[in-house]
Amino acid sequence: MIAHRTHVPQGPIQPGLTNEQLATLLGERFALTRDASDRWDLTLVCKAEQLREVVKYLRDEPTLSFAMLLDVVGVDYLAYPGHRSERFAVLYPMKSLAFRHRLVLKVMVDEEACVVPSLCEFYKSVEWAEREAWDQYGIVFAGHPNLKRLLNHHEFVGHPLRKDYPCQKRQKLSMNDPMIDQLEARLRSLGYTILERGETSVGQAITRPSAVPSALPKAGGKP
Amino acid sequence: MKVITPQGEHVDLMTLNVGPSHPATHGTLRILAALDGENIAGCVTEMGYLHRGFEKMIEQGTYSQVLPYTDRLNYCSAMMNNIGFCKAVEKMFAITVPDRCIVVRVILSELSRIIDHMVCTCTNLVDLGALTNFWYFFNTREQVYVIWEKLCGARLTNTMTRIGGMYRDTYHGFEDDVRAVLVKIESAVHEVRGLIEHNKIFIDRTKDVCAVSAADAISWGWTGPCLRASGVDRDLRKDEPYYGYETYNFDTVIGTSGDTFDRIMVRMYEMIESVSIVRQALDRLKPGPINTLDARLSLPSRDQVYHDMEALINSFKLVYEGVRPPAGICYDATEAANGELGYHIISDGGTNPYRVKVRPPCFTQYAAYADMLTGSMLADVASSLGSINIIAGELDR
């Protein structure tokens, strides 16, 4: 099991660092640069290789104490006007509960490899959030324990939030997700030994009757 | 499923699908549980049954066309989703809406919070078999919906807010209606508390059931009433106040053990705090403009459109193209009924949002659900699901 260390804040929230102070601090320590496109708050550009180190520092450093990773946001810059660098980006909005400061980490992701290190060991919230980003953008989170689709059907082909996925495209999806392998993995992680899957209706495919007409009758025609 | 338990016993576990077609799972949530008698040895959860490509759809339209979609996120408190989105876009334009608009938004937010908590708690109690509370709360909620109807014609999905203001100002008699409904809300909360707070069956079914520690709740990214039920005193209205919440006199309600009982009770008492905020806001409601005069956001008046060429062009541009926030990445969050509702907006300077990521508060709560259920009983599936208030509209998007 993954051990999570979380600091529970006591008392009211403290003022914390300003965006400028945070940018200077992290710029000096990790050479993070401020993303000029965030002209309202603080977004720092971070390299994928240093992401885990930076996040661990942000979470564990008592003066920063970024206890909560709010979301994992995939972005596809394919159609963004004037965009020259890597196609994808992942944004990690984070906040502290002890101090009134927030920041967003931005990692640019190359289209070829399309991989970022997973942050599952630092925050429990990350597991599903990374699954969603994988599902919608096809960004691989290296080291994720169960990188499966989350919002889309398990038979779905492609990654719908990519800018080159047509929004009108239809796919025929028929079978339910058995999930029995997930359940077995879950039981194993809780210390169970699986001897036999056994007779169960769970996981059997729902087959549709072939009598469904392939084309609907035209409206207005004679019966 | 034949297994050896961690204690070394050979047992035969029964696998059971709870949902998606189960009344307590709203037809959209699925739990696959391995049962040892009535106990849940382990379970996994599935979502996505209500996924409708919200984030893909809103990239196809203008910023104003996003608003009706946001209604369908948390449809129990649709107004708050509208307000959250508009506030994020207004932040990108660096404008503040007029004072009257802010106060109206506070009133609508807090009334929405109350009806959201009402739906959450009373349907949760129905899942536990306590039906009477449902009528107390739904009758009162209905009266709030009458106010919504008078305000904008719609009951459930209001689209009442506009970027830079509101769809329209309040109607004559709005304040009296709200004051009257506040009394009803207080009385309904009192009635329901009287029925459940010291009810032995209710306490047995909820106390120490599916408890989540403060550290776990933070690591899971929980916000809102569920985080506060675990004893963490955090509320965006207090910590990062917006719309003048720092000037209102109210308390955050926190629990101690983070169990189902605390999660229900935190909501129950938050309703009373919200009633107090609405009363204070009504006292501050002064006549004045409701929409910003910024020509980038607000339609010019009909009179101007008929007599001024510039205003006519402006009106056409706003209707056909919509607003154009400056290019960049912006994150903004409000304290919605379920917790931190965040909008991460990426604009390319054009009329359509390039990318909008919603951070639905119940997403993180549902992610923790399988962990919460492990080791509890089958009957706790329904009772704890209600207490974390999963709204499939915002969960699946």
Side-chain angles (χ1 to χ4, degrees), chain A residues 37 39 41 68 70 74 76 80 95 97 100 102 125 132 137 160 163 165 177 186 193 195-196, chain B residues 2 4 30 56 91 216 219 222 234 239-240 327-329 340 347 354-355 357 359 371 374 397:
Chain A
S37 65
R39 53 181 95 183
D41 301 300
M68 204 176 268
L70 292 163
D76 180 3
Y80 199 87
K95 76 169 179 179
L97 294 183
R100 194 179 288 119
R102 286 173 182 262
S125 59
E132 186 187 328
Y137 285 97
K163 288 286 177 180
Y165 189 94
D177 184 356
R186 172 87 187 151
T193 314
L195 298 176
E196 191 188 314
Chain B
K2 292 199 167 50
I4 306 175
R30 176 175 166 211
K56 187 77 176 175
K91 177 178 172 183
D216 275 352
S219 186
W222 282 21
R234 288 295 176 265
D239 303 337
E240 297 166 46
I329 304 177
E340 177 167 339
S347 159
Y354 186 79
R355 162 83 165 121
K357 173 71 173 73
R359 182 202 182 271
D371 256 24
T374 305
R397 283 158 285 146

Side-chain angles (χ1 to χ4, degrees), chain B residues 168-277:
Chain B
R168 65 205 294 183
D169 205 340
T170 58
Y171 59 91
H172 181 70
F174 169 74
E175 288 90 331
D176 296 337
D177 281 0
V178 174
R179 280 187 206 282
V181 87
L182 292 179
V183 178
K184 297 274 172 53
I185 290 166
E186 282 175 322
S187 138
V189 173
H190 183 83
E191 302 265 24
V192 171
R193 276 179 50 203
L195 283 170
I196 62 164
E197 205 162 14
H198 302 289
N199 182 320
K200 202 167 185 322
I201 304 169
F202 172 70
I203 291 169
D204 278 350
R205 289 291 308 277
T206 56
K207 220 43 186 148
D208 301 324
V209 170
C210 294
V212 177
S213 71
D216 275 352
I218 292 170
S219 186
W220 279 116
W222 282 21
T223 49
C226 291
L227 177 69
R228 293 193 280 277
S230 294
V232 184
D233 185 7
R234 288 295 176 265
D235 186 326
L236 284 186
R237 293 173 296 170
K238 290 274 188 196
D239 303 337
E240 297 166 46
Y242 54 95
Y243 289 164
Y245 269 114
E246 69 275 21
T247 59
Y248 291 92
N249 183 19
F250 70 103
D251 290 327
T252 48
V253 183
I254 60 168
T256 48
S257 55
D259 53 13
T260 301
F261 182 87
D262 279 7
R263 285 190 286 269
I264 295 174
M265 281 305 159
V266 161
R267 287 198 170 81
M268 205 71 86
Y269 285 88
E270 268 188 14
M271 285 188 238
I272 299 298
E273 295 301 322
S274 290
V275 166
S276 148
I277 297 172

